[in-house]
Amino acid sequence: MKFRTLAWFVGPSVFMMLLFIAFPLASVFLQSFQITQPIVETVEVETCTPGFLGQTCVTETKTTPVLDENGNPTTTTEWVGLLSYARVLQLEQVGAAIASGTWSSILAIDFWKALRFTLTFTLVTLPLVIGLGLAIALAVNNAARSIRGQIIFVSLLPFIITPVIGALSIRWLFYGDGIVTAMLEGMFSTDISVAANGWAIEMLMMFYRVWHVAPFAFVIFYAGLQTVNQDTLESAIIDGASRFERLRFVVVPHLMPLIIFIALIHLMDAYRAFEEVIGFSSQAHRITLQWLTYDLLEPDDAGNRAISRASASAMLTMIGIVILLIPLLRRTWRDHKGSAH
Amino acid sequence: MATPKALQQPASLRLASASFLAFWCLIAAFPIFWIAVMSFKSPVDAFSANPLNVVFGPTTRADGKGLSIIDIVIGLVVLIAAVRLAFTQLPKWVGRLSPPGMAIIGWLVGAAAYAIAFLIVFFGILPVFLGGLNAVTGPLGAPVLGLTTEHYYAVWIENGFWRNFQNSLIVTAGVVTISLTVGTLAGYGLARSGSNLAFWILIIALIFRALPHSVLVAGYLPVFINSAEILRPILGENAPTLYGQPLAVIAVLVAINQPFTIWMLRSFFQNIPNELDEAARVDGCTHFQAFRWVIMPVMWPGVITTGLFSFLLAYNDLLVTSLLLDAQNQTMVPAIAGYFNRETTTTDQVEAVAAAVSITAPLFLLVMIFQRQIVSGLTAGAVKG
């Protein structure tokens, strides 16, 4: 295909990606070094109230925004270098915490708290998703052909459901006097309050994520299991391999590319976890990196959005994604080089 | 084909595998099933600590809202008949009535008409008929299962959830149409070109796929809020403020969805043999004509599958829609996030549950109808990965 033809075909798509992905990315990068704020001036205002034997006058200085001819506050944008990053990272407090040996106080800073949780969340759910997905795939492959369709249908539900709704449906089982909590309370005859306990919420959020993603892993592994070489399996049996050894040395190596694929997709998606925080209302206890940016972008009580700090936190989140992706990119590049020769 | 004896599994293994599967199905379906049950009960029952109270709803029944045995039997019969009809007769009607070449539009119209007819029969005619029947049958007509639809009524009619539904419909329809149009062109071009440029476009798309959406939204927000001033020199006085516009959100979601769409469509196009294009080209077609008249007719399964995933992305999105749309134009998912943030009374909470179930119901139908396509889409992405 000639270059011109290719350009006609991919043009619209590339244009949309440039306009709505590459351009915002560049502008976020620039914004993270800038601060836009309204110009304020301090004015002395004398307010007098009528009082006995004369007026009581109070002079106070007020800061008011400078207005332009249309009555809108004028704003100024200045380059501040790494100030926004410093405000997000708060390295001084981190340094002080390390110097004094109080590690836990680092986790009181929003960014480090979010980083700690996001990484734990991603790395703990990863093996669980792969393990559970593989287990379901093996079990379904073992089940009678006639009921497989129904099982796949039920299994797809957690994957297809709107993430916030999925999180909510689990939250309603546990929060307050949800039936599962009530059952646990009955079993151990204690009082459990899930919503007030950070670790309990963290476990629930991980449980939700595994519940949500395992069907995806299952479907892919299940498709992979259909293509396992039966001859290899049979020769393994003749060689006296036990059931577990066959799984370990024949089936799992066959599925390895799929396991890597799922691991990568899961790393990308779990790292940008966001809906869990909304669904479980966990912002008082556990936050994720993407939620941090979201929170900075939301207007605060005075209606201001902390755009520069949000941009800085967004760029920091992105650095993490790039680090996660480097192995994948190197592999794809090698494949491309390999196929070219 | 009988399984060789050496491959037969011991009973204990089969039992363990089956019970594990049953356990997984229970965990997978239970939370969804449970919110569906909760949404039909009065608040006291819905948030009762005793599961039996939630299922049978004694308080709801005491309020005089419930189903009798007759209601349940006849309701189930009508429901099963409706589902059977949808799977056996509906395809025939659609096939007979829709003009040739318009099968997709025929299906959309047919499905919508069927859904409306079902709603009228099930919620309009049936309750009146059963009310009369219950009054004359004595004990069989007495309510045994507490059930009320008042929360759905409150959510959809009183709180104006239909407006959010309408917005969701606009946004998802727009996203699916545009991203498929743009994506099929790009997917075809990339599948048929082995050049380095095509490779780099795909790699960059992969990197874009990994970007957290909040990064992008941080880039849009200042531009969208001030877009009227930025665009004024070009468009004059009519320059729109993009913030809060469903159209702007459609464009954003299409772009975010593009990387995934072109990867998936590319892998579907690669499964179509190259000889097909070559034959068309020998017969004198241009590249575009070959794409339009030879490749597209055999690509429908892939397009439908990709469309499903675009639909899911647009329908399920919370981050972009909640940051870029204002309260008047909100879609369903951010609207429900607002619901449970302001929840104060238990009635509010049950209404939030009812709203959640309302959002889930279309997805449920979707899996039912398109299960095969969803599975093939998931695996197509992985195998070519």
Side-chain angles (χ1 to χ4, degrees), chain A residues 247-261:
Chain A
L247 180 66
R248 169 78 186 74
F249 294 107
V250 180
V251 177
V252 170
H254 175 76
L255 295 179
M256 212 51 197
L258 300 181
I259 293 179
I260 292 173
F261 168 76

Side-chain angles (χ1 to χ4, degrees), chain B residues 127-365:
Chain B
V128 177
F129 169 67
L130 287 173
L133 203 61
N134 282 337
V136 294
T137 43
L140 276 180
V144 289
L145 188 74
L147 187 133
T148 169
T149 48
E150 62 186 89
H151 308 300
Y152 287 95
Y153 182 79
V155 166
W156 282 86
I157 313 289
E158 288 168 18
N159 300 352
F161 204 60
W162 60 269
R163 212 171 292 128
N164 302 114
F165 178 72
Q166 203 181 339
N167 290 327
S168 275
L169 222 56
I170 295 173
V171 169
T172 44
V175 169
V176 171
T177 338
I178 301 178
S179 68
L180 283 184
T181 319
V182 176
T184 37
L185 283 172
Y188 176 72
L190 294 172
R192 289 291 181 261
S193 161
S195 66
N196 265 338
L197 177 72
F199 169 77
W200 281 112
I201 291 176
L202 283 168
I203 287 299
I204 292 172
L206 189 68
I207 298 175
F208 284 166
R209 154 81 173 75
L211 284 182
H213 300 165
S214 62
V215 177
L216 302 173
V217 178
Y220 303 134
L221 253 184
V223 181
F224 277 20
I225 291 174
N226 300 321
S227 67
E229 283 158 39
I230 297 170
L231 293 175
R232 190 162 295 140
I234 312 169
L235 296 178
E237 282 304 307
N238 300 329
T241 298
L242 290 173
Y243 175 77
Q245 296 282 337
L247 278 178
V249 170
I250 291 177
V252 166
L253 285 175
V254 167
I256 290 181
N257 203 8
Q258 248 339 269
F260 174 76
T261 314
I262 59 179
W263 268 89
M264 188 180 248
L265 282 170
R266 173 179 164 270
S267 71
F268 276 114
F269 275 119
Q270 277 182 331
N271 287 342
I272 296 176
N274 209 358
E275 285 75 22
L276 219 55
D277 313 39
E278 280 164 12
R281 301 263 291 147
V282 168
D283 288 348
C285 281
T286 63
H287 258 299
F288 187 78
Q289 282 168 331
F291 167 74
R292 174 68 190 84
W293 300 111
V294 180
I295 304 298
M296 276 321 281
V298 293
M299 253 306 275
W300 284 115
V303 171
I304 290 174
T305 306
T306 318
L308 276 174
F309 282 85
S310 304
F311 172 85
L312 283 179
L313 177 121
Y315 190 82
N316 288 344
D317 178 83
L318 168 66
L319 186 81
V320 175
T321 44
S322 75
L323 280 173
L324 293 184
L325 288 175
D326 46 20
Q328 290 88 41
N329 286 327
Q330 243 167 13
T331 54
M332 290 201 282
V333 177
I336 192 187
Y339 247 100
F340 68 89
N341 276 339
R342 68 145 197 258
E343 71 190 24
T344 43
T345 63
T346 43
T347 312
D348 281 348
Q349 291 191 35
V350 186
E351 285 179 10
V353 178
V357 176
S358 312
I359 296 177
T360 312
L363 294 174
F364 191 82
L365 280 179

Side-chain angles (χ1 to χ4, degrees), chain A residues 13-338:
Chain A
S13 172
V14 170
F15 173 74
M16 291 219 72
M17 287 199 280
L18 282 182
L19 185 65
F20 286 105
I21 301 183
F23 171 70
L25 211 57
S27 93
V28 169
F29 183 68
L30 290 180
Q31 273 171 29
S32 67
F33 299 110
Q34 291 175 333
I35 285 190
T36 302
Q37 51 195 6
I39 305 175
V40 289
E41 55 184 359
T42 45
V43 277
E44 290 207 344
V45 188
E46 196 180 30
T47 38
C48 295
T49 42
F52 186 60
L53 289 182
Q55 292 178 322
T56 323
C57 285
V58 186
T59 314
E60 51 187 346
T61 54
K62 276 189 178 170
T63 50
T64 53
V66 180
L67 302 180
D68 63 8
E69 62 268 29
N70 294 331
N72 297 322
T74 50
T75 55
T76 153
T77 303
E78 25 179 340
W79 292 89
V80 291
L82 293 171
L83 181 68
S84 299
Y85 289 92
R87 281 184 183 165
V88 172
L89 290 173
Q90 306 209 346
L91 287 174
E92 283 166 30
Q93 287 191 34
V94 175
I98 294 174
S100 62
T102 50
W103 290 94
S104 56
S105 61
I106 296 178
L107 296 182
I109 302 166
D110 278 348
F111 177 81
W112 299 103
K113 189 164 91 176
L115 184 68
R116 201 282 303 162
F117 174 68
T118 310
L119 286 181
T120 324
F121 178 78
T122 310
L123 296 177
V124 170
T125 50
L126 177 64
L128 293 177
V129 163
I130 290 178
L132 183 61
L134 192 57
I136 302 169
L138 287 170
V140 171
N141 208 24
N142 224 352
R145 221 162 260 284
S146 51
I147 59 162
R148 283 186 196 175
Q150 281 87 330
I151 292 176
I152 294 176
F153 171 71
V154 173
S155 302
L156 277 176
L157 288 177
F159 173 68
I160 225 84
I161 192 173
T162 311
V164 187
I165 310 280
L168 281 173
S169 67
I170 290 175
R171 162 205 174 117
W172 281 318
L173 291 181
F174 283 90
Y175 277 27
D177 273 331
I179 54 155
V180 179
T181 312
M183 210 169 70
L184 289 176
E185 280 174 344
M187 266 161 68
F188 299 109
S189 53
T190 51
D191 210 18
I192 304 171
S193 174
V194 176
N197 185 332
W199 289 104
I201 294 180
E202 187 163 338
M203 300 251 288
L204 267 190
M205 289 163 93
M206 289 178 182
F207 172 76
Y208 159 73
R209 178 57 73 146
V210 174
W211 179 77
H212 176 59
V213 189
F216 167 66
F218 147 62
V219 168
I220 288 182
F221 288 145
Y222 180 64
L225 281 179
Q226 309 310 310
T227 58
V228 171
N229 189 338
Q230 292 301 319
D231 295 344
T232 323
L233 267 186
E234 275 171 30
S235 40
I237 296 172
I238 294 167
D239 289 347
S242 72
R243 209 168 287 282
F244 177 75
E245 281 167 338
R246 267 176 274 153
L247 180 66
R248 169 78 186 74
F249 294 107
V250 180
V251 177
V252 170
H254 175 76
L255 295 179
M256 212 51 197
L258 300 181
I259 293 179
I260 292 173
F261 168 76
I262 292 187
L264 280 165
I265 294 279
H266 182 71
L267 283 182
M268 285 185 205
D269 288 350
Y271 185 76
R272 57 182 183 198
F274 165 71
E275 271 96 351
E276 280 90 348
V277 182
I278 303 279
F280 288 105
S281 299
S282 70
Q283 52 270 42
H285 303 281
R286 295 290 184 272
I287 59 175
T288 64
L289 285 169
Q290 182 151 241
W291 187 86
L292 185 68
T293 314
Y294 170 84
D295 190 44
L296 291 170
L297 285 174
E298 284 270 272
D300 61 11
D301 293 339
N304 297 316
R305 300 170 195 260
I307 302 269
S308 355
R309 265 193 299 154
S311 307
S313 120
M315 289 317 284
L316 289 169
T317 313
M318 230 189 72
I319 292 172
I321 274 290
V322 172
I323 294 174
L324 284 177
L325 274 184
I326 284 174
L328 169 74
L329 292 181
R330 284 183 46 178
R331 201 187 65 132
T332 322
W333 175 240
R334 270 208 310 274
D335 289 356
H336 178 67
K337 277 290 176 199

